[in-house]
């Protein structure tokens, strides 16, 4: 469930000066950090980098890589950060009835990237119920050999949320590819339109928010049911949730998706392949002047 590594959001009218907005290479993409204190900007970047070093399955010495190597062998003691993101991921897996599942790494990593197993075997290993957590010891165990955790569908949103909680700034803005958080300020935000490569909706937030967007139009990176969806955006006040839920919605079958979204407590905007656009009232509650642009 890799997140799309593109600039999903067009951002306008920052309340800070240009000199206080920094762009960094992070997590295989870019990160924008906008805070009033330049020292806090670099502290935030270093903290995000620390999270990446713990969670990246591309790094040989990361905790996630070690968990994956020990699949079917033994539990691995991990840091509180790694334990927290895996625990959150399993909760969202249950919430979405498996549509969002970090063990999809058996397909995305062990089959597609490393070619260690065939596709049929990889699919049989995708099951979040086979991830065993020991809350007391803070260990993680994958029950079966060749199971793999892939945090691509939640890692960036989780990192943003943890950085926000750690820095304690009164206002700020952090974005990593298709995930962002803005707090303590109003900022004009646009949601990308993949149909005509412009924007489909633009507005100014009227409260703190997290906004995440997923699409499958550059890479076939989201594994799930066959869908007529082109792009999903989710708005809420917690970024781990928005990052994972937009991927989960994309991966759901049509029937399950309708049930899941019926009484959603978060905002969403869905673009379908035939050009239809669907959104709910909760989305509008996060903006004071959200307007939609013609195709």
């Amino acid at each position: 469930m890799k997140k799309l590594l593109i600039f999903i959001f067009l951002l306008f009218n920052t309340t800070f000066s240009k000199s206080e907005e920094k762009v960094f290479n992070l997590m295989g993409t870019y990160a924008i950090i906008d805070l009033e204190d330049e020292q806090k900007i670099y502290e935030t970047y270093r903290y995000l980098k620390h999270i990446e070093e713990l969670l990246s399955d591309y790094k040989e010495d990361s905790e996630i890589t070690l968990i994956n190597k020990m699949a079917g062998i033994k539990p691995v003691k991990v840091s509180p950060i790694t334990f927290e993101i895996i625990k959150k991921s399993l909760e969202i897996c249950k919430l979405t009835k498996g549509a969002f599942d970090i063990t999809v790494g058996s397909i995305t990593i062990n089959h597609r990237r490393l070619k260690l197993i065939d596709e049929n075997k990889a699919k049989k290993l995708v099951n979040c119920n086979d991830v065993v957590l020991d809350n007391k010891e803070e260990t993680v165990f994958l029950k079966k050999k060749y199971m793999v955790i892939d945090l691509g569908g939640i890692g960036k949103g989780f990192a943003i949320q943890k950085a926000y909680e750690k820095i304690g700034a009164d206002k700020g803005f952090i974005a990593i590819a298709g995930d962002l958080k803005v707090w303590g300020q109003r900022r004009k935000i646009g949601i990308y339109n993949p149909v005509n490569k412009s924007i489909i909706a633009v507005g100014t937030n009227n409260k703190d928010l997290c906004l995440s967007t997923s699409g499958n139009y550059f890479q076939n990176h989201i594994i799930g049911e066959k869908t007529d969806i082109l792009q999903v955006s989710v708005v809420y006040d917690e970024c781990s949730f928005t990052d994972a839920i937009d991927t989960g919605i994309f991966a759901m079958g049509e029937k399950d998706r309708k049930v899941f979204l019926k009484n959603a407590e978060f905002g969403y905007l869905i673009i379908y392949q035939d050009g239809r656009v669907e959104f709910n009232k909760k989305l509008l509650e996060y903006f004071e002047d959200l307007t939609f642009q013609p195709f």
Side-chain angles (χ1 to χ4, degrees):
M1 297 181 185
K2 292 292 186 183
K3 290 297 293 184
L4 200 58
L5 304 183
I6 64 171
F7 197 11
I8 289 292
F9 305 107
L10 307 178
L11 309 166
F12 309 92
N13 302 337
T14 175
T15 57
F16 301 152
S17 69
K18 192 68 175 177
S19 63
E20 291 161 340
E21 181 180 281
K22 305 294 182 183
V23 181
F24 302 91
N25 290 321
L26 190 74
M27 300 183 183
T29 182
Y30 62 87
I32 299 173
I33 304 173
D34 195 346
L35 301 167
E36 291 183 295
D37 187 322
E38 188 170 10
Q39 181 178 345
K40 280 193 173 184
I41 289 177
Y42 287 101
E43 289 175 358
T44 301
Y45 167 72
R46 287 191 291 271
Y47 184 64
L48 289 169
K49 194 69 178 175
H50 171 62
I51 293 176
E52 178 185 14
E53 290 168 355
L54 291 174
L55 305 182
S56 174
D57 57 77
Y58 283 93
K59 296 184 179 297
E60 283 298 314
D61 58 350
S62 75
E63 292 186 343
I64 292 300
T65 297
L66 182 56
I67 292 168
N68 292 340
K69 285 181 177 179
M70 292 297 105
I73 301 174
K74 67 177 183 179
V76 175
K77 174 75 173 178
V78 297
S79 64
I81 287 175
T82 301
F83 194 83
E84 180 182 351
I85 189 173
I86 294 175
K87 188 173 183 178
K88 283 180 180 289
S89 297
L90 298 185
E91 290 169 355
I92 295 174
C93 184
K94 292 177 181 178
L95 178 66
T96 61
K97 297 183 179 180
F100 173 83
D101 192 332
I102 57 174
T103 64
V104 75
S106 302
I107 299 173
T108 59
I109 298 173
N110 273 354
H111 170 60
R112 289 188 175 179
R113 190 200 307 169
L114 302 179
K115 304 187 186 309
L116 297 177
I117 54 178
D118 63 38
E119 186 175 11
N120 288 334
K121 184 173 183 177
K123 287 181 177 179
K124 292 176 181 178
L125 292 170
V126 179
N127 186 348
C128 64
N129 293 319
D130 285 337
V131 181
V132 181
L133 302 184
D134 186 319
N135 289 290
K136 183 178 180 181
E137 300 297 327
E138 290 194 326
T139 61
V140 182
F141 178 53
L142 305 181
K143 286 184 179 181
K144 299 176 182 178
K145 188 178 180 181
Y146 293 115
M147 280 188 70
V148 170
I149 287 175
D150 181 347
L151 295 173
I154 190 173
K156 296 176 182 65
F158 175 82
I160 291 171
Q161 185 66 31
K162 294 301 293 183
Y164 158 76
E165 293 169 2
K166 183 176 177 63
I167 60 180
D170 292 334
K171 61 181 179 178
F173 171 84
I174 304 174
I176 306 177
D179 302 280
L180 68 80
K181 186 175 187 75
V182 57
W183 71 95
Q185 60 171 306
R186 293 187 176 187
R187 186 161 184 157
K188 189 169 285 188
I189 303 171
I191 299 177
Y192 179 72
N193 184 344
V195 176
N196 59 12
K197 298 180 175 58
S198 60
I199 59 175
I200 195 164
V202 62
T204 303
N205 62 296
N206 57 22
K207 55 184 173 180
D208 300 350
L209 62 78
C210 296
L211 177 57
S212 297
T213 294
S214 278
N216 236 4
Y217 31 79
F218 286 115
Q219 303 177 52
N220 185 23
H221 60 289
I222 301 175
I223 308 297
E225 298 291 332
K226 186 177 180 181
T227 184
D228 59 349
I229 289 178
L230 187 61
Q231 180 176 283
V232 180
S233 297
V234 171
V235 185
Y236 196 57
D237 56 9
E238 209 278 342
C239 299
S240 305
F241 181 87
T242 60
D243 193 4
I245 290 296
D246 69 346
T247 305
I249 292 170
F250 200 105
M252 289 178 184
E254 182 180 0
K255 183 178 179 181
D256 290 337
R257 183 172 69 242
K258 287 181 177 179
V259 173
F260 184 73
L261 294 177
K262 186 175 182 180
N263 297 305
E265 292 299 316
F266 54 87
Y268 66 84
L269 186 150
I270 301 174
I271 304 175
Y272 291 89
Q273 293 176 5
D274 62 5
R276 288 179 296 126
V277 177
E278 175 187 346
F279 61 93
N280 65 347
K281 290 182 179 179
K282 284 288 182 181
L283 176 74
L284 305 178
E285 291 177 8
Y286 284 89
F287 297 92
E288 64 180 25
D289 58 354
L290 190 66
T291 58
F292 293 84
Q293 310 296 318
F295 280 77

